[in-house]
Amino acid sequence: MVMANRAYFIETEPLEKAGEAGEKLVWNAVQGAFSQQECLGYWRYPIFSQQGKYRKEPDILLADRQLGLIIIEVKSIAIAQILNISGHQWEYQNYYTPTGNPYQQAENQLFSLLEYCDREPILKNKVMGRALIALPLITESEWQTRGFHQLPSNPPILFKNSLQNNLQNKPDILAAIAAISALRTAPKLTQEQWKLLLSILAGTPLYCKQNYPIFSKKQNRGQALIKLKEWVSEVDMQQERIAKQIPPGCQRIRGIAGSGKSVILCQKAAHIHLKYPEWKIALVFFSRSLYQPILEQLDRWLRYFSNDEVSYDPKNRNLLILHAWGSRKQPGFYSTLAWESGIPSLSANQTESKQPNEALAEACIHLLKEAAIPQLFDAILIDEGQDLISDRSKFEDKQPFYWLAYQSLRPTDPIHPQKRRLIWAYDEAQSLESLRIPSASELFGEDLGHLVTGRYLGGIKKSEILSKCYRIPHLILTAAHGIAMGLLRPQGMLTGTTRKEEWQAIGYEVTGKFYPQQKITLHRPPENSPNPIAKFWQGANIEFQIFRDRQQELSHLAHNLIHNLRYDHLRPSQQILVIVLGQFFEATQLETHVANFLMQQGLDIYLPSTSDCNILKSDRHNYHPDRFWWEGAITVSRIHRAKGHEADLVYIIGLDGIAKNESNIALRNQLFVALTRTRAWVNLSGIGSYPFYEEFRQVLRCGDTFNFTYKRPPQRELSVTDAGELLERYRLGRRNFRNADLENIQLPNACLKNVNLIGANLRGANLENTDLEGAKLIAADLTGAILKGANLHKTKLMQANLTRVDFQDVDLSSVILEIE
C-alpha cells in the first residue's frame, strides 16, 4: 500500500471521545478539502515539542506536494471562554488551562519539522510551510464582534462556518489555506523531493553514508551495497499508519519475514511513551540476543520524534525492554510479574519440559495458579510472538504467556474491562518451536475471541497483515516460501494455505483452485518485494552447492569468506553471517566444527554468548546471552540464536541436516528463517545425496512463479485473514465471531450453522448458498451482501442492516426478525 499521487490520512488515535466533536469537525473538513490533492495528513502527528512539563504534538499536520507543510492547531473553545488576547498569549476562562499561545505553538512545531527537512541537501530551504488555528465552535462574526480580527497578532484562522461549508461540498478551505502567507515560501516539490519529504515524516533512514572505504574499481559486493544503501523507497502507507497509531485495545500484526514488524513495534512503543510518559510500557521478546537491536531501534525512534530530547534510559521504569523469561542478572517479563506477585520465579531446569518455550509456558501456568496477577502495565508490545506459543501446555484452554500478559494489563476503558492494550506481531512461517497457529480465541479463550476482529471506533484495525517485504531480495523470499512449504514436493505440499484470499494477503497471485489433482499457479509480483539489490549486482543473489564431504564444504566456505573480506570489502561483523542448520545435538557439534575450521584458516569468528572472539565454549561465569556480534569477527550461529538478526551476506551450512528428514516441518522452518536473514545474498551448501536437493533446485528454477499439482491438504494449514481463521476455528468447533470485520468476505457454499456473528461487519459479503441455519446475525451489517440460495432457517436477524441484500431463492419464512 504505497502512496501514489493521492491523498492519504492517518489518525494516530481514535477520534471518538466525548468532547472531541469539534476536533472531528476540523479533521473531516480538512480531509474533504484535500481529498484530491497529492497529500499526506495526520491527526496528531507524533513529533513532540516541549511545552512546560509536557510534550505536545501537532493536532493536524498536512504534507502537500504543492503547498508544503501545514500545521493546524485546533481549539474547541467557545467565544465566551476567551477572556483576552495579548500578542500571541490567549487568556481563557472555564477551560483546562488559564492561558495558551496556540499560534506560536503551531509555528514552533512547523519550524521543528522544517529543521528535519533542512538536514537533507535536496530539501534545504525547499519546503514551504504554513501555520494556522482552527476554531470549530466560533464563527467569524463572533470573532469580529469581539474585535479580535483587528489585533496586530491576529493569526490565520479556520472558523466554524467555513468548516461546515466545506462539509456541505463547498470546498473553500483549500483555497483559504493556499491564500495564507507562508512562513517559508518555495516552489512545488519535485517528485524526488516529495518522496524524500514523506520518508522524513515516516522516520525512514535515507541516503545513509557509507562508513568504510571501498578501494576496488571492479564491481564487488561492497560497491553494490553502497548503491543499495542510497536507495530511497516509497513510503509504505500501511506500515506508516500501523506504526503511528495507538490502538485503544488489543491489536495483532501479522507479517511475512522482512516486512518490518519489529521496526513498527519499536516505533509504536516510542510514540506511546513520548505521548504518555506516565504509562508503564513493556516491549517483550523471546530471543535474548535481540536485546541490543531492539534497544537501538527504540532509542532511534525516541530520539527522532523528540528532536533528540529523549533517549532510551534503562533506569526509566515506565519503558521496559524485557526478555520474555528473565534471569538472575536481568529481569524479564515473567520474572518481574513473579516478583511483584511475591511468588519465586522458576527456571527452565525447574520445569518438566526443560525446552525454553514450553518451560516458559509451564512457569506462567504456575504463576497464574498461585497468584492474583497485578495489573502493572498500560501497554505491552510483543515481538516474534510465534515463539511464545506452547503446543503442550494450556491454562484454562488459553495460551499461558499471552493470558499472563493480558492479565497484567490495566483496562483502557473501565466500562469495558476486556479492552486492554496488548499488541503482538508474528509470522507463523518463522516458528521454530510450535507448529500451531492459535487464533485469538485460543490465546484468550472463547469469550474473548473477538478481541482482534474488526475495527475500533475511528477506524483503527484490530488485525493487520503486512504483505510487502523490504529486507529480503525478491527471489530469495519466494525460494524461502517455496521450499519451507514444500510446494514442489513429489508427495505434495507440507504446510501453507489453500485459500486464494490467504495467498493474496501475503502478496501472491493465484490461478486455479485447491482441489485434489488440480493445477495451481502461484506468482509473487516483484513490486511486493521491492529490495533492488538485483539491479546493482550482476551475479546471482542465491547460490546452492552440494559437496562430497564436510571438509570440502568448509574449505569452500573459508575460501569464499576470505574473498568477501579481501576483495568484496565486506566487514566481518553484521555484514556476514554463517548459520548452521540441523537438530539441536548435531547442529551444536557442527557449529563448533565450523568455527574451529575457520579459525584454523586464520579467520576471526564469534560464537554468540561467548566472552570474546575465537572462543569455542563459554563457562557459566563468562556467558553473555545478549551478545550476538563481535566487532572484527564473523558470527557463526545455530538458527535459534540467529533468528531476528540480519546480514548482507548469509552462508547456510549443513543443508543435509534438513534433507535427510525433509518431511519435518520444523526443520524446513529452520531453512525458511535462515534464508530470510539476508539483505542481499545467500549461499547454501550441504553434503551427500538426497531427493530434497533436487526439490530445492526446482524451487530455484521457478523464480517467483510456482506451477504444481495440488495433491492433498497440507499437514499444517496456515490462515492469515479473518476469513481463513473463521473457517479454521469453525472446523475446530468454535462458534463465537462477534463483531468480526468480514467486509467483502468470500464464503460461498460454506457451512456456518449456529455461528455467532452478532455485530459483525458483513458488508458486501458473498454468502451464496451458505448454510446459516440457527446463525446469530443480530445487529450485523449486511449491506449489499449476497445471500442468494442461503439456508436461513431460524437465523436471527434482529436489528441487522439488510440494505440491498440479495435474498434471491431464500426461504425467509423461518427467519427471526423480532426479539423472542
Side-chain angles (χ1 to χ4, degrees):
M1 190 185 296
V2 175
M3 182 174 178
N5 300 323
R6 69 181 185 88
Y8 200 94
F9 300 96
I10 296 172
E11 292 179 23
T12 62
E13 286 192 277
L15 192 56
E16 296 290 338
K17 297 176 183 177
E20 292 184 337
E23 288 90 335
K24 191 170 184 180
L25 172 64
V26 179
W27 178 236
N28 289 342
V30 166
Q31 289 184 74
F34 283 80
S35 61
Q36 301 303 312
Q37 293 288 106
E38 199 169 353
C39 167
L40 172 60
Y42 295 88
W43 169 256
R44 299 283 170 84
Y45 174 76
I47 184 166
F48 300 86
S49 58
Q50 191 76 41
Q51 302 289 324
K53 295 190 300 182
Y54 303 97
R55 295 188 173 275
K56 184 73 169 62
E57 75 273 59
D59 287 333
I60 295 175
L61 165 65
L62 296 168
D64 185 276
R65 185 175 172 188
Q66 183 172 352
L67 300 178
L69 294 177
I70 303 160
I71 298 284
I72 303 176
E73 175 66 20
V74 181
K75 286 295 175 190
S76 289
I77 191 168
I79 190 69
Q81 291 176 284
I82 303 176
L83 283 175
N84 184 45
I85 298 178
S86 176
H88 288 304
Q89 188 83 0
W90 292 23
E91 296 180 26
Y92 306 119
Q93 65 179 356
N94 302 321
Y95 198 49
Y96 75 93
T97 181
T99 61
N101 46 6
Y103 183 69
Q104 192 173 46
Q105 182 175 291
E107 275 189 328
N108 291 342
Q109 291 162 344
L110 174 65
F111 285 120
S112 290
L113 283 169
L114 291 174
E115 183 182 336
Y116 276 69
C117 299
D118 288 345
R119 295 173 187 174
E120 295 292 340
I122 69 168
L123 286 181
K124 187 173 178 60
N125 298 321
K126 300 294 176 59
V127 180
M128 191 180 299
R130 291 173 172 84
L132 62 147
I133 298 171
L135 299 174
L137 304 183
I138 299 176
T139 65
E140 188 170 8
S141 61
E142 289 175 325
W143 187 261
Q144 291 174 349
T145 299
R146 293 286 301 274
F148 291 148
H149 66 294
Q150 297 177 341
L151 295 173
S153 60
N154 183 45
I157 298 175
L158 295 178
F159 291 104
K160 177 180 179 180
N161 40 306
S162 62
L163 293 167
Q164 290 177 332
N165 287 341
N166 199 82
L167 292 175
Q168 297 167 3
N169 296 318
K170 298 177 182 178
D172 55 348
I173 289 181
L174 179 60
I177 292 176
I180 293 172
S181 296
L183 296 174
R184 178 195 281 178
T185 59
K188 178 182 177 180
L189 297 171
T190 66
Q191 185 62 40
E192 184 184 13
Q193 290 170 333
W194 174 238
K195 188 174 173 181
L196 183 54
L197 175 60
L198 294 179
S199 295
I200 288 171
L201 294 178
T204 306
L206 298 169
Y207 295 135
C208 300
K209 305 293 188 298
Q210 195 69 27
N211 56 9
Y212 60 96
I214 299 297
F215 300 106
S216 174
K217 293 183 179 181
K218 183 180 178 181
Q219 190 207 35
N220 57 41
R221 296 180 197 270
Q223 300 269 2
L225 289 178
I226 290 177
K227 296 177 182 178
L228 180 64
K229 290 179 183 296
E230 291 175 349
W231 170 60
V232 182
S233 68
E234 298 281 354
V235 172
D236 186 313
M237 286 301 158
Q238 183 190 23
Q239 283 192 351
E240 176 69 354
R241 172 172 50 78
I242 299 170
K244 290 186 170 56
Q245 286 177 333
I246 303 175
C250 288
Q251 187 177 53
R252 172 177 57 184
I253 303 170
R254 290 164 156 168
I256 62 172
S259 58
K261 299 182 296 297
S262 298
V263 173
I264 285 173
L265 280 187
C266 289
Q267 187 177 157
K268 195 183 284 282
H271 292 160
I272 296 173
H273 178 66
L274 288 170
K275 183 160 190 174
Y276 301 106
E278 74 278 10
W279 286 8
K280 190 157 189 174
I281 303 163
L283 183 54
V284 183
F285 53 94
F286 185 70
S287 175
R288 290 191 61 176
S289 65
L290 291 179
Y291 258 120
Q292 193 61 32
I294 286 180
L295 186 155
E296 291 171 358
Q297 272 284 344
L298 183 57
D299 183 70
R300 175 183 175 270
W301 292 117
L302 288 170
R303 290 177 180 276
Y304 189 85
F305 288 106
S306 70
N307 202 13
D308 273 330
E309 292 178 4
V310 179
S311 59
Y312 176 71
D313 180 2
K315 296 179 182 178
N316 183 349
R317 307 312 298 167
N318 282 353
L319 182 58
L320 302 174
I321 298 175
L322 296 173
H323 176 246
W325 195 305
S327 65
R328 286 175 296 178
K329 295 182 179 180
Q330 197 163 30
F333 184 77
Y334 157 75
S335 66
T336 296
L337 286 174
W339 188 86
E340 292 284 349
S341 302
I343 304 295
S345 58
L346 301 178
S347 67
N349 290 331
Q350 291 173 296
T351 64
E352 184 177 329
S353 67
K354 306 291 193 294
Q355 295 179 346
N357 71 314
E358 293 293 344
L360 178 59
E362 287 184 46
C364 291
I365 290 173
H366 176 262
L367 182 56
L368 286 162
K369 287 180 176 179
E370 295 296 320
I373 305 304
Q375 293 179 345
L376 297 181
F377 299 101
D378 297 284
I380 297 172
L381 301 94
I382 300 174
D383 195 17
E384 303 287 1
Q386 70 277 355
D387 294 337
L388 295 163
I389 300 300
S390 169
D391 284 339
R392 304 174 193 169
S393 302
K394 291 285 189 72
F395 176 78
E396 297 177 352
D397 206 31
K398 307 175 183 73
Q399 281 291 328
F401 185 85
Y402 281 85
W403 187 242
L404 180 65
Y406 182 79
Q407 289 296 305
S408 70
L409 281 160
R410 301 181 184 101
T412 63
D413 181 353
I415 300 174
H416 302 97
Q418 74 277 13
K419 288 179 67 174
R420 307 183 188 194
R421 201 172 275 103
L422 180 63
I423 304 165
W424 69 99
Y426 68 103
D427 175 14
E428 296 94 335
Q430 292 192 64
S431 175
L432 294 175
E433 305 294 347
S434 173
L435 295 182
R436 299 184 64 256
I437 305 97
S439 62
S441 62
E442 290 174 275
L443 293 179
F444 307 115
E446 186 67 19
D447 291 342
L448 298 176
H450 64 284
L451 285 178
V452 287
T453 58
R455 298 169 183 254
Y456 294 104
L457 289 175
I460 294 179
K461 289 184 177 181
K462 298 180 183 180
S463 280
E464 294 278 5
I465 304 170
L466 298 165
S467 61
K468 285 187 179 291
C469 172
Y470 292 90
R471 181 180 73 234
I472 307 156
H474 182 57
L475 295 183
I476 296 179
L477 180 65
T478 55
H481 278 136
I483 197 64
M485 296 183 185
L487 297 179
L488 304 185
R489 277 182 86 235
Q491 303 90 338
M493 64 187 292
L494 278 169
T495 183
T497 180
T498 57
R499 296 185 69 248
K500 183 177 182 179
E501 293 80 6
E502 304 293 308
W503 282 106
Q504 290 173 336
I506 61 172
Y508 283 83
E509 297 171 350
V510 184
T511 303
K513 296 184 177 179
F514 285 86
Y515 297 147
Q517 305 310 311
Q518 293 295 304
K519 299 291 185 182
I520 303 292
T521 298
L522 297 174
H523 170 67
R524 184 173 181 85
E527 58 265 26
N528 288 344
S529 312
N531 181 321
I533 187 63
K535 298 178 182 178
F536 310 138
W537 177 252
Q538 296 175 359
N541 290 99
I542 182 168
E543 298 180 34
F544 172 48
Q545 293 175 285
I546 298 302
F547 298 94
R548 179 182 64 255
D549 53 37
R550 195 72 71 199
Q551 180 77 14
Q552 189 181 42
E553 180 186 21
L554 297 186
S555 295
H556 187 262
L557 170 65
H559 174 79
N560 279 348
L561 290 174
I562 292 170
H563 185 275
N564 299 148
L565 297 174
R566 290 181 180 175
Y567 303 105
D568 286 324
H569 302 288
L570 298 185
R571 289 174 292 130
S573 177
Q574 302 190 50
Q575 286 202 305
I576 303 174
L577 173 61
V578 178
I579 298 177
V580 175
L581 300 176
Q583 301 278 16
F584 177 79
F585 181 73
E586 65 179 15
T588 301
Q589 286 188 316
L590 182 55
E591 178 186 47
T592 302
H593 184 38
V594 170
N596 192 44
F597 185 90
L598 295 179
M599 286 167 57
Q600 292 175 3
Q601 307 307 306
L603 292 162
D604 291 323
I605 61 89
Y606 179 70
L607 293 183
S609 301
T610 55
S611 59
D612 203 342
C613 65
N614 300 327
I615 294 178
L616 298 179
K617 189 176 182 180
S618 59
D619 56 44
R620 62 188 182 90
H621 299 295
N622 290 296
Y623 181 61
H624 302 273
D626 302 347
R627 187 177 294 161
F628 187 80
W629 305 101
W630 191 274
E631 189 61 36
I634 298 169
T635 293
V636 178
S637 173
R638 285 171 284 138
I639 190 61
H640 287 77
R641 288 213 175 268
K643 190 172 179 300
H645 293 276
E646 58 189 68
D648 297 304
L649 173 58
V650 174
Y651 287 92
I652 302 173
I653 303 299
L655 196 58
D656 45 289
I658 312 296
K660 60 190 177 187
N661 193 6
E662 61 83 27
S663 63
N664 186 313
I665 297 176
L667 287 176
R668 288 203 180 223
N669 280 4
Q670 280 196 19
L671 181 54
F672 178 85
V673 173
L675 286 165
T676 56
R677 297 309 90 207
T678 185
R679 294 186 291 258
W681 304 279
V682 68
N683 190 314
L684 301 95
S685 62
I687 62 174
S689 177
Y690 300 95
F692 175 80
Y693 293 155
E694 180 53 34
E695 178 192 340
F696 192 58
R697 292 188 183 98
Q698 290 180 21
V699 165
L700 295 180
R701 287 194 290 268
C702 285
D704 60 12
T705 304
F706 299 102
N707 295 287
F708 61 95
T709 300
Y710 178 68
K711 298 184 178 178
R712 61 174 181 270
Q715 292 180 23
R716 182 179 71 151
E717 179 81 25
L718 297 178
S719 298
V720 295
T721 65
D722 282 350
E725 184 174 286
L726 184 152
L727 292 173
E728 180 63 16
R729 286 171 60 191
Y730 189 91
R731 185 183 67 81
L732 295 172
R734 309 288 187 176
R735 297 295 181 266
N736 181 14
F737 303 97
R738 292 175 63 104
N739 303 311
D741 185 1
L742 302 171
E743 187 169 357
N744 298 318
I745 193 172
Q746 299 296 308
L747 288 172
N749 306 302
C751 178
L752 295 174
K753 285 185 177 182
N754 302 311
V755 69
N756 179 356
L757 287 166
I758 294 174
N761 176 10
L762 290 160
R763 296 174 65 90
N766 182 359
L767 299 168
E768 184 174 357
N769 297 320
T770 297
D771 190 348
L772 290 164
E773 181 177 352
K776 297 177 182 178
L777 290 164
I778 302 164
D781 187 352
L782 288 155
T783 303
I786 300 172
L787 286 165
K788 180 180 178 180
N791 178 9
L792 299 184
H793 182 62
K794 293 187 176 180
T795 300
K796 295 182 178 181
L797 287 168
M798 295 88 82
Q799 300 176 12
N801 187 341
L802 302 177
T803 306
R804 301 193 313 277
V805 173
D806 181 355
F807 283 119
Q808 184 179 344
D809 301 327
V810 175
D811 181 0
L812 297 173
S813 61
S814 64
V815 170
I816 301 171
L817 294 170
E818 301 292 337
I819 297 175
E820 298 176 306

